[in-house]
Amino acid sequence: MSSAADSNSSVKGPIIDTLKSSLNHYPRAKHTIDRLVYPKETIRQQTNHFQSRPEILERITEALVPSNVQATIDKRPRAFVVSGLGGTGKTELARNFFINNYRSYFDVVLFLVADQRERLSHQYADAACALGLIDRDQIRDLENARERLKLWLESPFKRMEKFEQVVASRYGSNVEVDDETEYEKAKWLLVLDNADKPELLLDFWPAYGAGSVLVTSRNPSSWKYHFPETQGLTLGGLDLSAAINLLKAVSQTTKEPGSDSTATEIVERLERLPLAIVQIGSAISKRNLSLKAFVNDYARPSQLYSLYEACDQVSGYEHNLASVGAFDTLEEESPSVLLLLNIASVLDPSCIQEEVIFGAWKDCTQYPRPQIKDDYHKAVANLIERSMLTKDTDDGSLQIHRLVQAVARSRLTKQVGQVQNVFELAWTAVAQKFPYRDQEMNTAGSVHRWEMCATMYPHVCQLRLVAQEIQDVHPKTEVPLEFLDLIYEATWWQCERREAAEAADLVNFALAICDLGSSPEEIANQSLRTPLQFRQTAFWACKITISFIMGDQKTAFLYSQLRYQSAQNEYKVTGKITGFQTSTLTTLGQAFAMNRLYDKAVQALNQSVSLRKQMPKFERDWLCTPLYHLGITHHCMGKLEEAAGYLEEAIAAREEKFGFNDRVSHRTGAMLYALANVRNSQGRFDDAYGLHHKAFLHCRQTNGERAYTTLKCAQKLTEHYERYGLDQEARPFLQNILSTFGQQSDRRREVSQAAFLLSTILLRHGEAPKSRECMHQAGVIYNELRHGEKRAADALTWADVKQLICYDYF
């Protein structure tokens, strides 16, 4: 087993000082945490008619509020998952649990919605700010905020001076952590609500710390796989007596004589689901009906349900309830309010921004006069009264329960004209807020638009699902081309962030639609593209980028050739040099290089440079991308001087356009990273370290602490640390890389390299069992990726794992 270290390299004092000073980048807080509930309004949100479930609360309490003796020995958070259908009262149960235990046991309660990664990232940042772990001006660095909060959950000192000692020691400073007692630590409860995808929580779950985690989820099956130590239960409907009590309380019929049998009939029809009972009970109360009158007047199943199928279909709970008592009256009495509800039904349910839904609602032309803001507020109030919506009083955003949303949408999709109208209003409003990038020559985009992209992205995902539902129910409908443009922008944003899995779902949906019009081969052999085919080739570019990230050279090469052929045929007709044509040459060159066809790669990339220079209004920075890939390609060919020349020219062109050390995107960091790799191959190790460190700082400040680009640079720094004998500085970086990339299939090559490097460090420090574990991880990945060149773990070398990334770029 060989190492990346160079035993002949010497350590220079100034370099060590620079390395250690670069690790001290966190603020120094000096306050003390007493008690905190985040968000603060959570403690006041208990519903008026909540039906407690004592037996279930007792089980949760036993799991999450242990004895004092057990609390001092727990090393990992205690966790409990409450799963079940939407509408069963999971969120209210979780809220009831924390309210019962907040003052008596927990000092800090964080109640977070965990259904989308982006939203959870923002909530972690807000919570970290509320705790004083970060300053308000640092809240945009989501990865840094998340890791700060996780570190506090692992070491939840009430006095921040103690916590900062932990931070300093974690990041390599020679700071000793004072002796601690459990009385100095806060007792915390983390509630992760609507966490339907356990794998989404892997980056957010605190690995250590004697706290408690309570999860609510519709997904009962995969928690043990991802989090084997969690306890849990599946929550069904209320027991019969509680369901009857809830119905009577909400419908204000507690004094109605002889009503138990009638109430039983109603709640059984509603599967005893709390939300369904509240909705129907509210309808009964508003109409001043008795329970008996309601049963008589709404006797037909069609009056109460839009769909009714087997009640054991977990993924299709919308088939068990359709609240006609509310929907039908809306349709008859207030169609504009129903429209608002329908628009909410096709957007992300957990956070519907006021400007988005109002923008969609007011643009409807079917009413005799334009809808104004006062009309909107009245409509929202109407739906809140019906328990269909809730509203955040701080920012005005709306939330719609998933059960209500599903019922509304299942009704809506039956009417093709209405669902198309609502869908267009919604996606148009989202598109107006989504910051589209400049597509002329900028292939990376600005990070300054990322925050708004993250805000709108959950809506795009939901709209994509709605579009698929519409096509499933009404196969002859066409997806608007402009909606595909929105999908493209969201896809490209994920490509910029190097999140291939997220981007793949969107691009596969879009290409499935585009391919219905023309096959890829037909477009490649066609002279001019139709508007649909124009979008199709744009999504090919996304497909190529995703394939590059995933290391799928075959797919990247296929679509690069198709896209290039399409551009060439178009050029033969128009005679115009376009950004489309030059970009196809660049990606084709990259695809050639990734398949080790370096001479063809150089030819294509040089042609891209030549054509870009001939374009109208040429600017020098347009050459950055092909020059960047020419540099990497020549590096692969062993032509190091030529490689350095191309990369230095690309960096100079970038600085000429955006200034020194710009923060527009990570492209400058990428070029510095590539040039550092060349210097490393030239044996100019100090120069290489300086450039890698500069690239690391650039990517960290531009993309964030835990971004893919930042961690790529960090991994290179660990190779320098090992060479300089700074194992303790390298170790936390490698552990950070493994914890971040470990569960991501498109990061296996980086994981294998990081595991190998950590294994060598652990072995040098006498930690043989952990070293073997890391080397085993590196070997398993290597053998999965290199089928014909399998290695035993003890025979694996650094040269082996280094070859897993033959074209090192980002």
Side-chain angles (χ1 to χ4, degrees):
M1 180 175 64
S2 67
S3 167
D6 184 350
S7 59
N8 296 323
S9 296
S10 61
V11 181
K12 300 182 178 180
I15 294 177
I16 298 178
D17 294 339
T18 302
L19 295 175
K20 292 186 176 180
S21 65
S22 71
L23 302 173
N24 298 323
H25 55 273
Y26 291 111
R28 299 298 182 194
K30 296 183 179 180
H31 64 280
T32 300
I33 296 173
D34 185 12
R35 288 187 177 274
L36 174 73
V37 173
Y38 173 85
K40 61 183 179 181
E41 61 269 20
T42 307
I43 201 168
R44 302 189 297 271
Q45 291 178 344
Q46 190 78 53
T47 59
N48 293 332
H49 305 293
F50 174 73
Q51 298 295 306
S52 180
R53 307 190 188 193
E55 299 84 358
I56 294 174
L57 285 172
E58 184 178 352
R59 285 188 59 184
I60 298 173
T61 301
E62 289 176 354
L64 299 186
V65 184
S67 65
N68 290 332
V69 174
Q70 186 179 353
T72 62
I73 62 174
D74 283 340
K75 297 300 183 182
R76 296 182 182 275
R78 300 170 290 276
F80 197 92
V81 179
V82 179
S83 60
L85 290 172
T88 53
K90 301 183 295 295
T91 299
E92 292 302 321
L93 185 70
R95 189 177 288 117
N96 185 242
F97 168 77
F98 104 71
I99 289 174
N100 288 347
N101 293 280
Y102 170 52
R103 298 195 181 280
S104 61
Y105 188 80
F106 297 113
D107 302 306
V108 173
V109 177
L110 307 179
F111 202 105
L112 311 181
V113 180
D115 61 339
Q116 290 279 349
R117 181 184 181 86
E118 296 298 330
R119 177 179 298 105
L120 190 55
S121 295
H122 282 283
Q123 289 178 101
Y124 260 61
D126 287 339
C129 186
L131 284 164
L133 305 178
I134 61 172
D135 296 328
R136 175 59 59 178
D137 59 0
Q138 296 173 303
I139 204 166
R140 293 179 62 182
D141 191 345
L142 301 181
E143 291 81 2
N144 175 40
R146 182 186 69 205
E147 293 309 306
R148 290 276 289 180
L149 179 54
K150 284 173 60 179
L151 186 56
W152 183 84
L153 293 174
E154 295 173 7
S155 301
F157 288 104
K158 293 181 179 181
R159 290 196 304 116
M160 284 295 100
E161 292 93 336
K162 284 254 182 126
F163 172 67
E164 292 300 340
Q165 291 176 5
V166 174
V167 174
S169 64
R170 173 70 63 91
Y171 282 86
S173 298
N174 295 322
V175 176
E176 294 184 3
V177 181
D178 296 339
D179 292 339
E180 60 188 63
T181 69
E182 292 304 314
Y183 298 105
E184 295 176 327
K185 290 187 176 181
K187 299 172 183 177
W188 56 262
L189 170 67
L190 173 63
V191 181
L192 298 170
D193 194 29
N194 290 331
D196 296 337
K197 297 180 179 179
E199 64 274 13
L200 182 148
L201 302 182
L202 292 170
D203 287 342
F204 299 87
W205 195 276
Y208 303 98
S212 300
V213 182
L214 178 58
V215 179
T216 73
S217 175
R218 290 185 299 174
N219 183 350
S221 60
S222 58
W223 283 95
K224 285 295 182 182
Y225 176 79
H226 293 284
F227 302 100
E229 297 181 3
T230 57
Q231 302 180 55
L233 58 82
T234 298
L235 190 65
L238 297 169
D239 64 54
L240 183 58
S241 62
I244 292 173
N245 290 338
L246 177 60
L247 177 64
K248 287 186 174 183
V250 176
S251 62
Q252 301 182 40
T253 58
T254 55
K255 297 181 181 180
E256 182 177 333
S259 60
D260 281 1
S261 61
T262 308
T264 299
E265 181 180 348
I266 295 173
V267 298
E268 291 294 359
R269 290 173 68 186
L270 299 175
E271 303 292 334
R272 304 185 196 173
L273 296 179
L275 179 61
I277 294 170
V278 169
Q279 286 179 319
I280 297 303
S282 298
I284 293 171
S285 175
K286 190 169 186 178
R287 289 159 180 75
N288 296 311
L289 295 173
S290 66
L291 297 181
K292 187 174 182 179
F294 178 80
V295 169
N296 290 336
D297 293 344
Y298 295 84
R300 297 196 313 271
S302 60
Q303 292 177 307
L304 191 59
Y305 297 92
S306 63
L307 297 171
Y308 188 81
E309 295 182 1
C311 63
D312 59 349
Q313 291 184 354
V314 174
S315 63
Y317 64 85
E318 68 273 14
H319 300 309
N320 295 334
L321 171 70
S323 180
V324 176
F327 281 91
D328 280 358
T329 55
L330 278 177
E331 191 168 5
E332 295 168 4
E333 299 171 5
S334 186
S336 64
V337 176
L338 179 60
L339 174 65
L340 188 69
L341 179 64
N342 284 337
I343 293 171
S345 77
V346 300
L347 294 171
D348 177 67
S350 297
C351 185
I352 304 174
Q353 295 79 14
E354 182 175 295
E355 63 269 23
V356 172
I357 192 167
F358 176 66
W361 188 67
K362 71 179 179 62
D363 286 343
C364 183
T365 59
Q366 71 184 64
Y367 303 112
R369 66 173 178 82
Q371 303 294 296
I372 60 176
K373 207 58 173 291
D374 186 55
D375 297 323
Y376 168 78
H377 290 310
K378 290 178 180 177
V380 170
N382 189 319
L383 293 171
I384 291 174
E385 289 176 1
R386 298 169 185 268
S387 299
M388 290 183 166
L389 295 180
T390 59
K391 182 177 181 179
D392 187 317
T393 55
D394 290 334
D395 61 15
S397 63
L398 304 178
Q399 299 82 40
I400 178 172
H401 193 280
R402 295 169 185 273
L403 181 61
V404 177
Q405 184 182 58
V407 172
R409 202 159 71 227
S410 63
R411 290 170 53 87
L412 183 64
T413 52
K414 293 180 180 180
Q415 308 168 68
V416 62
Q418 287 192 29
V419 72
Q420 286 182 308
N421 177 54
V422 168
F423 178 68
E424 183 169 357
L425 290 171
W427 76 253
T428 302
V430 173
Q432 289 172 352
K433 293 294 180 182
F434 201 103
Y436 285 31
R437 68 192 183 92
D438 174 16
Q439 297 186 32
E440 179 58 28
M441 292 300 296
N442 183 4
T443 59
S446 169
V447 297
H448 301 302
R449 71 190 188 100
W450 281 17
E451 184 175 4
M452 182 55 70
C453 289
T455 301
M456 292 295 108
Y457 181 74
H459 294 312
V460 178
C461 292
Q462 188 76 359
L463 288 163
R464 192 264 293 180
L465 295 174
V466 174
Q468 188 64 62
E469 287 179 11
I470 295 173
Q471 286 211 311
D472 290 343
V473 178
H474 307 285
K476 294 184 179 180
T477 58
E478 294 184 356
V479 176
L481 297 183
E482 293 78 7
F483 175 65
L484 291 181
D485 294 338
L486 175 61
I487 293 289
Y488 172 76
E489 289 295 330
T491 304
W492 199 259
W493 171 64
Q494 293 289 11
C495 288
E496 290 170 4
R497 299 174 65 243
R498 320 306 288 177
E499 296 294 341
E502 289 276 355
D505 289 340
L506 293 177
V507 78
N508 290 337
F509 162 78
L511 285 177
I513 294 171
C514 294
D515 290 348
L516 294 174
S518 305
S519 69
E521 291 75 15
E522 290 173 341
I523 298 178
N525 294 312
Q526 194 167 307
S527 298
L528 293 175
R529 294 172 292 165
T530 65
L532 177 62
Q533 292 168 346
F534 181 90
R535 273 86 176 177
Q536 192 168 6
T537 53
F539 281 107
W540 287 355
C542 297
K543 188 78 170 179
I544 293 166
T545 300
I546 293 168
S547 300
F548 285 152
I549 296 171
M550 299 290 290
D552 184 358
Q553 294 98 326
K554 184 177 180 180
T555 300
F557 191 59
L558 170 64
Y559 281 95
S560 295
Q561 286 182 308
L562 291 171
R563 194 163 171 263
Y564 168 73
Q565 187 61 50
S566 176
Q568 290 301 102
N569 291 338
E570 197 167 278
Y571 174 71
K572 291 176 183 177
V573 175
T574 65
K576 294 182 179 180
I577 301 173
T578 63
F580 172 55
Q581 183 184 12
T582 60
S583 70
T584 63
L585 284 163
T586 301
T587 54
L588 181 63
Q590 188 179 351
F592 276 133
M594 292 188 76
N595 284 276
R596 293 181 169 85
L597 301 172
Y598 298 123
D599 290 336
K600 290 185 177 181
V602 170
Q603 182 180 354
L605 292 167
N606 279 329
Q607 190 176 356
S608 178
V609 170
S610 176
L611 292 178
R612 288 172 190 242
K613 290 180 178 179
Q614 299 175 46
M615 291 182 67
K617 301 179 181 180
F618 165 73
E619 296 181 21
R620 189 183 173 201
D621 73 292
W622 293 0
L623 303 179
C624 287
T625 300
L627 288 174
Y628 169 63
H629 288 291
L630 277 167
I632 298 174
T633 301
H634 279 83
H635 186 193
C636 294
M637 299 169 72
K639 298 181 179 181
L640 303 182
E641 289 300 327
E642 292 92 332
Y646 284 120
L647 292 167
E648 288 171 340
E649 185 179 353
I651 293 170
R654 182 79 176 174
E655 290 181 353
E656 181 182 305
K657 175 70 175 181
F658 297 105
F660 177 76
N661 203 24
D662 71 276
R663 293 292 181 269
V664 177
S665 73
H666 65 250
R667 298 184 75 192
T668 297
M671 296 171 191
L672 291 168
Y673 174 88
L675 182 58
N677 291 343
V678 174
R679 296 303 185 211
N680 212 39
S681 296
Q682 291 175 319
R684 296 167 57 176
F685 299 123
D686 289 351
D687 290 341
Y689 163 72
L691 288 166
H692 276 136
H693 189 259
K694 188 176 179 181
F696 169 75
L697 294 176
H698 181 277
C699 290
R700 188 180 71 188
Q701 294 169 16
T702 304
N703 290 3
E705 187 78 26
R706 303 267 286 184
Y708 170 77
T709 54
T710 306
L711 294 180
K712 282 278 287 185
C713 295
Q715 182 160 313
K716 289 296 181 181
L717 287 180
T718 63
E719 296 177 31
H720 292 291
Y721 293 159
E722 189 189 24
R723 179 179 294 112
Y724 293 131
L726 300 173
D727 287 353
Q728 295 309 312
E729 281 74 10
R731 187 166 176 170
F733 274 105
L734 291 169
Q735 291 169 334
N736 190 17
I737 292 166
L738 291 173
S739 66
T740 303
F741 290 166
Q743 302 297 325
Q744 302 177 36
S745 61
D746 53 335
R747 309 286 194 244
R748 289 184 298 168
R749 290 165 173 80
E750 288 83 0
V751 169
S752 182
Q753 292 186 354
F756 184 95
L757 289 170
L758 183 57
S759 175
T760 61
I761 290 173
L762 292 170
L763 188 61
R764 275 201 298 270
H765 291 269
E767 300 181 52
K770 291 183 179 179
S771 174
R772 286 193 296 271
E773 183 178 333
C774 288
M775 190 59 67
H776 175 74
Q777 182 180 13
V780 167
I781 296 174
Y782 178 87
N783 289 330
E784 287 176 355
L785 297 174
R786 307 281 287 193
H787 301 293
E789 305 174 21
K790 290 192 174 184
R791 298 278 193 278
D794 57 0
L796 199 64
T797 67
W798 174 246
D800 291 330
V801 295
K802 193 172 183 179
Q803 288 179 2
L804 292 177
I805 302 177
C806 65
Y807 194 84
D808 196 0
Y809 90 108
F810 56 81

